[in-house]
Amino acid sequence: MLFGRDIGIDLGTATVLVFVKGKGVVLREPSVVAMDKNTGRLLKVGEEAQRMLGRTPGNIVAIRPLAAGVISDYDMTERMLKEILRKVTSFSLFKPQLVICVPSGITEVEERAVIDAGLQAGARKVFLIEEPVAAAIGAGIDISKPEGHMVVDIGGGTTDVAVISLSGVVASESIKIAGDSFDEALIKYIKRKHNVLIGESTAEELKRSIGCVFPRPDILAVEVKGRCLMTGLPRVVAVNSNDMIEAFEEVSERILETIHQVLESTPPELVADISNNGIVMTGGGSLVWGFDKLVESRTSIRTHIADDAVSCVAYGTGKSLEWIKDMQDGTINLSRRRQMS
């Protein structure tokens, strides 16, 4: 095939998802790169690089080039994008056009960095779409109507809360507290309570298996291995789902506060719409057990988690490829319609 296909990329702090027009989501890899410090050579990207996190010899570093939803290591992000594009595009005479998803609170400097990284990685043109807009489209919401919808997208590095109407963001907040913050909170909690240090991957596994932010009908418990901070030796401790609520309380409260702030700055007519339509939650962080129940109990608004919440943003970014024609005039942001050459 000679024509470069248009590509949508959900450039997440934890995971990169790639949507190719006509094919759907074709790649889902952790946002991790491994490189040789001595030679600067890129060794692995994605899954293979993630396995190296915390397990590498001195000359090899495994890093996440994105932090809190934005580029923290420009060079590595560019190289990671290049590698991802190489994986999903066969030989083509035409460079692909990219739509890349970004947090709603991103600055112009950060926007520019994402666009430049995409162009350097081999794209012909790069357009940006805000995460909550992409999440709403991916969740099957018709955002073109003059009707208010609230989306809470909890990714790895950022939580985006937005009210969307007429294809635009009416009110939004983006905070750098999300899925990764739950892992960090859990590591701190177990360290404080048991004097035991656990690793990131153990925290992630705990969050998936018994993690919750709302009381479960039955208390679940597991045993966790870590390093005792007193002796330096391995030690096993028991952790249950009630511990999880305690460990996650601060993080979930910050997300709830953000939802309240956005509702407070939303016009009354749209708040009435949201009350009817409910709140939609997307992103991997929304899958922490009971999050929808917690939001519903605090806002008195019906709340549900979108189907395939993890891929919503990628599907929405993919669907937005159909509107590239309208974005040709240099508009890079669907909802803000801001001109940038």
Side-chain angles (χ1 to χ4, degrees), residues 235-251:
R235 187 168 147 218
V236 177
V237 292
V239 182
N240 66 36
S241 48
N242 285 349
D243 290 330
M244 293 289 163
I245 295 175
E246 207 179 312
F248 293 161
E249 187 179 14
E250 203 178 318
V251 178

Side-chain angles (χ1 to χ4, degrees), residues 9-315:
I9 298 180
D10 172 12
L11 198 58
T13 307
T15 315
V16 176
L17 284 91
V18 179
F19 185 105
V20 175
K21 202 170 180 180
K23 285 188 177 178
V25 174
V26 295
L27 187 86
R28 193 186 296 252
E29 293 265 12
S31 320
V32 182
V33 293
M35 65 171 285
D36 188 320
K37 264 200 307 202
N38 301 343
T39 62
R41 197 164 65 87
L42 194 69
L43 300 174
K44 301 283 181 200
V45 168
E47 195 77 54
E48 292 167 311
Q50 189 181 40
R51 284 194 217 109
M52 297 179 174
L53 276 175
R55 293 191 170 97
T56 57
N59 65 317
I60 296 172
V61 284
I63 53 171
R64 289 180 163 198
L66 294 130
V70 294
I71 294 174
S72 60
D73 186 324
Y74 178 82
D75 183 47
M76 280 296 132
T77 303
E78 183 196 310
R79 288 161 80 173
M80 180 173 80
L81 274 175
K82 213 172 251 176
E83 188 59 28
I84 285 165
L85 289 182
R86 193 186 63 73
K87 281 185 183 178
V88 300
T89 54
S90 47
F91 172 73
S92 165
L93 291 179
F94 295 96
K95 292 178 171 183
Q97 298 186 106
L98 299 186
V99 174
I100 299 179
C101 204
V102 291
S104 56
I106 193 170
T107 65
E108 291 206 8
V109 173
E110 290 163 345
E111 279 189 356
R112 193 77 255 172
V114 175
I115 293 164
D116 290 346
L119 293 171
Q120 291 298 323
R124 175 161 45 110
K125 276 189 176 176
V126 178
F127 305 98
L128 304 183
I129 180 171
E130 285 164 305
E131 256 162 40
V133 176
I137 298 167
I141 296 170
D142 181 356
I143 62 166
S144 63
K145 292 181 177 170
E147 195 175 65
H149 292 276
M150 178 175 252
V151 176
V152 179
D153 179 53
I154 308 173
T158 57
T159 293
D160 280 279
V161 181
V163 173
I164 296 162
S165 175
L166 285 170
S167 302
V169 174
V170 179
S172 74
E173 280 287 333
S174 181
I175 55 168
K176 294 180 180 355
I177 285 175
D180 290 349
S181 311
F182 285 112
D183 299 344
E184 288 157 22
L186 195 48
I187 291 168
K188 279 184 194 159
Y189 178 82
I190 290 174
K191 188 176 170 183
R192 191 172 65 241
K193 188 172 179 181
H194 299 286
N195 240 334
V196 167
L197 188 65
I198 60 168
E200 277 178 35
S201 48
T202 306
E204 171 85 22
E205 186 49 46
L206 258 182
K207 178 177 75 178
R208 285 171 192 270
S209 57
I210 65 164
C212 55
V213 291
F214 197 78
R216 284 178 179 263
D218 304 309
I219 294 175
L220 303 179
V222 292
E223 291 193 326
V224 186
K225 280 183 188 156
R227 189 178 79 229
C228 177
L229 291 169
M230 308 291 281
T231 63
L233 299 171
R235 187 168 147 218
V236 177
V237 292
V239 182
N240 66 36
S241 48
N242 285 349
D243 290 330
M244 293 289 163
I245 295 175
E246 207 179 312
F248 293 161
E249 187 179 14
E250 203 178 318
V251 178
S252 44
E253 282 300 326
R254 281 296 310 277
I255 293 170
L256 286 166
E257 271 171 36
T258 307
I259 294 170
H260 276 280
Q261 282 167 3
V262 173
L263 283 169
E264 278 169 13
S265 59
T266 301
E269 286 82 2
L270 294 181
V271 173
D273 290 343
I274 293 163
S275 186
N276 290 332
N277 296 327
I279 295 171
V280 177
M281 299 186 75
T282 64
S286 68
L287 299 177
V288 175
W289 195 90
F291 224 136
D292 49 343
K293 294 174 177 61
L294 180 66
V295 172
E296 192 165 313
S297 71
R298 292 295 193 85
T299 59
S300 304
I301 299 171
R302 188 171 44 82
T303 304
H304 79 277
I305 295 163
D307 297 338
D308 198 358
V310 177
S311 308
C312 263
V313 171
Y315 284 120

